[in-house]
Amino acid sequence: MTSAGTFSPGDPRALRSAQQQVSHVAGLQPVQDAFAWFRSHSPQLDELQLQVTAIPAPPWGEGARSAWLAERFAELGLSDVHRDELGNLLGIRAGADPDAPFIALSAHIDTVFPAGTPIAVRHDAGNLYGPGISDNSSGIVALLAVAGALDAAKVANSAPILFIADVGEEGEGDLRGMRHIYQQPRWSATIASLVVIDGAGTDTIIAEGLGSRRYEVTVRGHGGHSWSDFGVANPIVALARIIDRFARTPVPVSPKTTFNIGIVNGGTSVNSIPELATMRVDTRSASVEELDRLERALHEAVDHVIPEVTGRKKQELLTAEVRVIGNRPAAELPGESQLLKMIRAVDTQLGNTARIQRASTDANIPLSLGREAIAIGAGGSGGGAHTIHEWYDPTGRDLGLKRILLLTLALAGVADE
Ligand SMILES: [Zn+2]
């Protein structure tokens, strides 16, 4: 279900046709006007980025940010602006061909920072600073910039364009926002291609979804006084041994496979034998088999350690539970897909060099359903993602914005002037 081009996959003319489509669109006056709008509005885009970053958007707490964005969507002339039951914000730029399927552009609006994290934003020597400033305020600004430029330059896109500011991408949000959108027949049946904008840069095309699984391991015990109950089995000691055992699991370099113990919690006080210890584990791989193997290794570590630490007496009984708290599918876009050809043609047109990469993004959801999706950056550069020291350098932002705009319009088509 693509809206532009009718050649069959694998046809050697397909690449040429994608290139012709892109260079045709790039040469249209309204598209040139939209490109110029990006350059002339760069101070306003920096300002928008500081404003959106200053609105906290912790996991499951994106409401204030999406309310602010709903006003921006409406100002930019998008129609049917609304938030769905999860808090995803959607808006439509109507197309000349109302029956064509949507080309969708998305940016996640949640951050990794829990509620209450102090958020200080600043503009210093050309760079922007603040938690989430790059991941994903740069993506949010790209959504607004593309909508703004299309509106100002009066570009007549053929297929309608769906703008999505989605929730729940990061961490334990587990892609819940995008998952929900693709569960709605109104969208799943009508989105031809999804272009996810996530973070800064122009040098990557994420066309392969990195699979990840996350677990919470809980060890429970009887607990007691550190002096008078000495000898009662200690859940923290058991958890430490589980970590030690699991962390020795060998992982292949290829397919790249990783694990991380990200959070450890537990205990009551320094002079109490704890009743509870928990940890959260993240595992990632391009291969489902490797994720399965890590899952077995985690269970094996728990099953091995618990009987070792548990004694025979009642107070020495420990129990453990492994709970799945996240599961992101691994999947990839076929090499002959129209979307991949189009982004390649866009990069050729703009003189940009990008490599195909694998990552865990909102694109995982459509990719796992066999639908077309990629994730690309918003332009500029950034660093310190997922830390409060995150920064964004807007130098080169307009290349990223042109890339997104040209891809969107090459896919959607532009009505003949
Ligand atoms: Zn992100």
Side-chain angles (χ1 to χ4, degrees):
M1 202 165 57
T2 53
S3 64
T6 51
F7 33 78
S8 59
D11 187 330
R13 287 171 302 168
L15 185 60
R16 212 161 51 233
S17 299
Q19 200 66 62
Q20 283 165 353
Q21 166 73 353
V22 166
S23 67
H24 167 72
V25 168
L28 298 172
Q29 189 56 49
V31 176
Q32 289 295 317
D33 293 346
F35 285 180
W37 189 96
F38 291 144
R39 271 189 304 279
S40 63
H41 285 71
S42 69
Q44 288 89 333
L45 297 180
D46 290 354
E47 184 51 38
L48 272 177
Q49 194 160 335
L50 291 170
Q51 283 179 34
V52 75
T53 305
I55 306 168
W60 284 275
E62 302 98 338
R65 186 173 283 189
S66 71
W68 183 85
L69 282 168
E71 291 172 23
R72 307 287 85 71
F73 271 28
E75 283 169 6
L76 295 169
L78 300 183
S79 58
D80 198 8
V81 174
H82 70 282
R83 286 190 276 174
D84 69 16
E85 44 281 74
L86 252 71
N88 295 307
L89 174 68
L90 300 109
I92 294 168
R93 178 173 174 82
D97 178 0
D99 297 326
F102 288 106
I103 303 303
L105 273 183
S106 77
H108 73 81
I109 63 168
D110 57 311
T111 69
V112 295
F113 304 101
T117 303
I119 299 194
V121 299
R122 68 194 162 92
H123 200 164
D124 189 9
N127 286 349
L128 311 180
Y129 296 86
I133 192 87
S134 183
D135 179 13
N136 190 27
S137 293
S138 66
I140 297 169
V141 166
L143 268 194
L144 299 176
V146 168
L150 288 170
D151 187 46
K154 300 191 169 53
V155 178
N157 45 292
S158 297
I161 302 169
L162 177 65
F163 289 82
I164 305 171
D166 59 296
V167 300
E169 192 272 344
E170 297 283 8
E172 286 156 38
D174 204 28
L175 312 182
R176 68 191 175 97
M178 194 55 71
R179 205 184 298 268
H180 181 75
I181 286 169
Y182 273 85
Q183 281 164 354
Q184 308 307 308
R186 177 177 180 194
W187 305 124
S188 65
T190 59
I191 298 175
S193 295
L194 172 69
V195 178
V196 173
I197 312 164
D198 199 342
T202 48
D203 57 352
T204 55
I205 300 166
I206 295 163
E208 303 177 358
L210 177 66
S212 77
R213 281 188 213 154
R214 291 162 182 173
Y215 307 90
E216 183 173 71
V217 179
T218 305
V219 182
R220 290 190 171 82
H222 191 268
H225 192 280
S226 62
W227 171 254
S228 54
D229 296 319
F230 182 67
V232 167
N234 186 318
I236 289 181
V237 170
L239 190 66
R241 290 201 195 168
I242 291 168
I243 292 170
D244 179 54
R245 192 170 175 90
F246 175 68
R248 292 168 195 263
T249 309
V251 288
V253 176
S254 175
K256 185 174 177 183
T257 301
T258 65
F259 57 79
N260 182 52
I261 315 293
I263 295 182
V264 170
N265 270 316
T268 311
S269 70
V270 69
N271 56 344
S272 302
I273 299 166
E275 294 171 72
L276 185 84
T278 67
M279 69 165 165
R280 291 186 170 201
V281 185
D282 167 272
T283 66
R284 296 177 181 228
S285 180
S287 149
V288 174
E289 289 72 33
E290 289 301 322
L291 291 175
D292 287 344
R293 201 173 59 80
L294 281 175
E295 182 166 305
R296 286 195 300 275
L298 182 60
H299 281 279
E300 192 278 335
V302 170
D303 294 346
H304 180 92
V305 166
I306 293 300
E308 213 177 60
V309 179
T310 297
R312 260 164 304 196
K313 291 186 222 140
K314 185 162 156 270
Q315 307 92 295
E316 294 170 355
L317 275 183
L318 287 182
T319 60
E321 178 196 9
V322 179
R323 193 164 64 88
V324 177
I325 56 170
N327 189 355
R328 300 174 174 217
E332 63 188 54
L333 192 63
E336 71 274 12
S337 86
Q338 179 71 354
L339 182 53
L340 206 50
K341 288 194 180 92
M342 224 42 119
I343 183 68
R344 289 296 198 195
V346 165
D347 282 334
T348 301
Q349 176 74 28
L350 296 174
N352 185 48
T353 314
R355 324 182 269 125
I356 302 273
Q357 275 200 339
R358 191 180 279 279
S360 180
T361 70
D362 275 329
N364 280 41
I365 297 296
L367 287 173
S368 71
L369 299 170
R371 309 295 297 278
E372 292 213 329
I374 56 170
I376 57 178
S381 54
H386 296 191
T387 76
I388 56 165
H389 308 293
E390 193 170 350
W391 57 271
Y392 178 77
D393 176 355
T395 311
R397 188 206 296 267
D398 70 318
L399 173 62
L401 298 180
K402 284 181 187 174
R403 194 173 177 235
I404 297 162
L405 183 85
L406 200 47
L407 175 62
T408 306
L409 291 175
L411 293 165
V414 178
D416 287 331
E417 317 79 63

